[in-house]
Amino acid sequence: MPRSKNSVRYKELKKRENTDKIRTYQTAYRKSRREQWNHSQKMLMRSRLARFNNNEATSSQIRKHRRLNSERFSKHVQSVGEEEINQRRKQARKRWNKCVDTFEKEIRDFHTHTCTCCGKLYRFSQLKILNKSFLASRNYDNDFLKNIFWVTDTSEAKFCTSCAKDINKKKIPKLALCNGLDFPKVPDCIKQLNRIEERLLAPRHIFQTIWSVKGPTGQYKTKGGIVNIPVEVDNSVSSIPRPINNSSMIHVRIARKMEYLKDYMSGVVWTQLLYDAAKEFVKTPLAIGENITLSEAWNSNFDDNHEALDIEDEFYNTNAIHETLLMQNENNFAFSGLTDTSIRIAPAQGFRPTSILFDEKCEYLAFPTVFGGHKMDPMHNGKPISYTDLITSCSYVNLAE
């Protein structure tokens, strides 16, 4: 640029520079105004739609809203073309149907397939199929094949990636069920017990406060500590009246203490099934090691003229009628439309709690329908498996099997 401000060249360059600046400012201003107008139109349409959806718009506003939509659509059709719009609609419909099919496929392919070796649940895409004849051709012995084909002994089976990786190295996986991580077989009489019958049979009563998060259908959280109380199985089972016949049932309410007004569990108990399960449970290795016995006096013969509910023990409380929602009718109160007497007991009352850190058999004694009176002692390569791996395996094993 020339140094002299009075020269013609300087004035022309200055005028051009100012013109460029003005054009830049004008372009930016027009762009900002266009954005503001688009934003205001969007907000206006949102407010109209909100009033329209909430039934807050008047009839004139609704007619205006529909008229503007029809005008806007007609202008769009004129600018683009009706054939192009129909083609775009078909493509959008295809994309939507494809998304729906993908979603349904993902739902069907959820964690419903079991690994034959470790018993965990995976997606089908996460599993690998191995052939037993192919493994036998690679000099895999029969004992090794029997251990890895634990869940289903078939010619082909599905394995997870971690198990398949160890199997290709001719190694037994750490979390394989053959290492003692499979749930023991439970007798049928114990497996048929309901929740309250299982509590009466269990030598350990565990109390834990569980709260629901974000409604009853959300997740759950624990609050406070876990109380583990050892109880006497003989006292719990003997507190139930003797049956008149094998099909006799009675309503039982279980409380933490007899002075508490509320019961933490209640339900119908099949007395003969409970006693048969108790006789089978005391024969298990875990019950023998804990010196758990059952008295035979409960099932002894008695006169049919005596009422089956005429019993007296330290757990029976005839003054606890006011602690239930059952309607009182003279000497009896109704339950499920039947006239019968409900028994209220507190098996854990009078026993001292034990820490779960020192009670190694707490889980096995608290849930007899799951473990059946047996303790799991998993071993891998001659070394015991850690408690963390044991809980990891038990939490993923398909219990439906």
Side-chain angles (χ1 to χ4, degrees), residues 86-103:
N86 294 333
Q87 188 68 20
R88 291 181 181 179
R89 286 179 175 177
K90 290 181 181 179
Q91 293 178 358
R93 193 178 296 110
K94 288 182 180 179
R95 289 194 298 267
W96 171 254
N97 294 333
K98 184 177 180 181
C99 292
V100 172
D101 295 340
T102 304
F103 175 76

Side-chain angles (χ1 to χ4, degrees), residues 184-385:
K185 294 183 179 179
V186 183
D188 294 336
C189 56
I190 298 178
K191 191 183 299 183
Q192 295 175 4
L193 299 178
N194 56 24
R195 291 181 65 248
I196 189 168
E197 292 170 351
E198 183 185 12
R199 288 301 96 208
L200 295 174
L201 180 63
R204 297 289 188 274
H205 283 206
I206 300 178
F207 298 96
Q208 184 179 7
T209 306
I210 301 177
W211 296 76
S212 61
V213 182
K214 295 182 179 181
T217 58
Q219 297 182 351
Y220 297 93
K221 67 176 182 179
T222 60
K223 183 178 180 181
I226 300 176
V227 182
N228 175 37
I229 303 178
V231 299
E232 292 289 341
V233 178
D234 190 15
N235 294 340
S236 301
V237 176
S238 300
S239 62
I240 307 301
R242 293 168 295 180
I244 299 177
N245 50 50
N246 293 336
S247 61
S248 297
M249 306 184 74
I250 191 170
H251 184 250
V252 179
R253 298 177 293 144
I254 303 179
R256 291 192 179 187
K257 291 184 179 180
M258 295 301 297
E259 55 265 24
Y260 290 172
L261 296 179
K262 293 184 179 180
D263 309 321
Y264 78 89
M265 186 179 293
S266 63
V268 179
V269 174
W270 186 359
T271 53
Q272 188 62 39
L273 177 63
L274 176 61
Y275 188 76
D276 294 340
K279 289 194 300 183
E280 191 70 26
F281 181 75
V282 296
K283 300 177 183 178
T284 58
L286 201 59
I288 295 174
E290 292 291 323
N291 296 325
I292 299 175
T293 58
L294 183 65
S295 177
E296 295 290 340
W298 180 85
N299 203 25
S300 59
N301 295 328
F302 61 97
D303 190 1
D304 294 337
N305 295 327
H306 294 82
E307 294 184 358
L309 301 176
D310 188 13
I311 60 171
E312 296 181 359
D313 53 31
E314 58 180 351
F315 298 107
Y316 189 75
N317 187 2
T318 59
N319 298 323
I321 299 176
H322 67 283
E323 297 176 3
T324 181
L325 297 178
L326 304 178
M327 296 299 295
Q328 183 178 0
N329 184 11
E330 296 180 357
N331 296 330
N332 300 327
F333 47 86
F335 173 74
S336 301
L338 300 176
T339 303
D340 202 351
T341 302
S342 177
I343 291 183
R344 189 172 189 265
I345 61 175
Q349 185 173 358
F351 293 93
R352 186 176 181 180
T354 305
S355 175
I356 59 176
L357 299 177
F358 300 100
D359 192 358
E360 298 180 356
K361 305 175 183 179
C362 171
E363 295 90 348
Y364 310 106
L365 294 174
F367 304 101
T369 57
V370 177
F371 299 99
H374 297 272
K375 183 182 178 182
M376 299 174 64
D377 294 320
M379 302 287 292
H380 179 64
N381 295 331
K383 297 180 181 179
I385 296 178

Side-chain angles (χ1 to χ4, degrees), residues 5 7 15-16 22 54 57 62 64 74 81 97 100-101 133 141 148 156 167-168 217 235 262 268 280 290 325 349 368:
K5 297 183 179 181
S7 62
K15 184 178 180 180
R16 187 181 301 173
I22 291 172
N54 297 333
I62 293 174
K64 184 179 179 181
S74 61
N97 294 333
V100 172
D101 295 340
S133 60
D141 55 356
I148 62 176
E156 289 185 353
I167 291 172
N168 290 331
T217 58
N235 294 340
K262 293 184 179 180
V268 179
E280 191 70 26
E290 292 291 323
L325 297 178
Q349 185 173 358

